[in-house]
Amino acid sequence: MSKVLYIKANAKKPGESRTFRISDSFVEEYKKINTNDEIITLDLYKEGIDFLTEEGINLHVTKPGEGKDHPILKYAYQFVEADKYIIAAPFWNLSFPAILKAYIDYICVTGITFKYTAEGPVGLCQGKKVVYIVARGGEYSEEPANEYEMGERYLRTILGFLGITDFTTIAAEKLDVIGQNVEAIVQAAIKNAQSTAKKF
Ligand SMILES: Cc1cc2nc3c(=O)[nH]c(=O)nc-3n(C[C@H](O)[C@H](O)[C@H](O)COP(=O)(O)O)c2cc1C
């Protein structure tokens, strides 16, 4: 049985996010096949994830005795205990919503999700896998605009730092480009999500 963490980062109302239409389809398909897996939904806006405070920064060194019920550390423990991650976040200002970065600042904790060694830092989330699901207004998967894409690139890098190298992206693009058949693009991404979920 795997533990799957479904991380959602969008301020939109339920039903209005194209990203979540795609990611929810992924989760539904995944559930059909992996009936015994535990899926934990973590909606970052509902959680009220906030910028790190001074207290939070000071936690980012190993503090033996800090429990899993700590308001910030609990997210790092929850993250490291999962086997798979579904990250659903729209493309905002060439990246993803800031709340997702704030969450990443919560989960990158020395001694929980990575550690320092004499040979340098080592990720403690090895062997896990992630799917990143994103809806974009424009097109950034092709040259030259891919240079401006900072969301996927950052996530790949920071999760690689934590030891996670199995990273798949499902992107729906050109959703705000006039003249596009938006519904057809979303449906194609849903199809992609469903087939990816079967192998995830
Ligand atoms: C705050 C904000 C910033 C955005 N920045 C970009 C951007 O830099 N590039 C782009 O192509 N689309 C941008 N968009 C458009 C969204 O990526 C696009 O509408 C996407 O479908 C939103 O996903 P959603 O339907 O899940 O909310 C932005 C939208 C918002 C609300």
Side-chain angles (χ1 to χ4, degrees), residues 5-47:
L5 191 56
Y6 178 21
I7 301 158
K8 303 176 78 169
N10 198 349
K12 279 190 182 171
K13 288 192 191 77
E16 289 184 6
S17 162
R18 279 88 65 107
T19 306
F20 289 172
R21 278 184 66 195
I22 302 161
S23 60
D24 287 345
S25 302
F26 182 100
V27 171
E28 270 169 42
E29 194 65 27
Y30 183 89
K31 275 186 189 165
K32 278 187 210 160
I33 299 157
N34 303 281
T35 47
N36 291 325
D37 282 9
E38 183 187 358
I39 302 187
I40 302 157
T41 301
L42 189 68
D43 184 318
L44 302 185
Y45 280 92
K46 286 187 189 149
E47 288 291 317

Side-chain angles (χ1 to χ4, degrees), residues 38-118:
E38 183 187 358
I39 302 187
I40 302 157
T41 301
L42 189 68
D43 184 318
L44 302 185
Y45 280 92
K46 286 187 189 149
E47 288 291 317
I49 300 292
D50 205 350
F51 300 118
L52 271 187
T53 58
E54 188 189 4
E55 184 223 6
I57 293 166
N58 291 334
L59 286 174
H60 283 57
V61 288
T62 315
K63 279 246 180 104
E66 292 283 10
K68 291 184 182 181
D69 53 354
H70 185 280
I72 292 178
L73 290 180
K74 69 177 184 182
Y75 292 102
Y77 282 114
Q78 181 188 51
F79 191 86
V80 78
E81 283 167 11
D83 306 295
K84 302 177 186 179
Y85 311 92
I86 301 157
I87 301 179
F91 195 61
W92 279 12
N93 300 312
L94 308 182
S95 176
F96 44 70
I99 200 164
L100 179 55
K101 175 60 169 60
Y103 172 73
I104 291 166
D105 290 340
Y106 276 25
I107 62 166
C108 293
V109 182
T110 326
I112 301 178
T113 48
F114 75 99
K115 64 177 179 183
Y116 289 112
T117 72

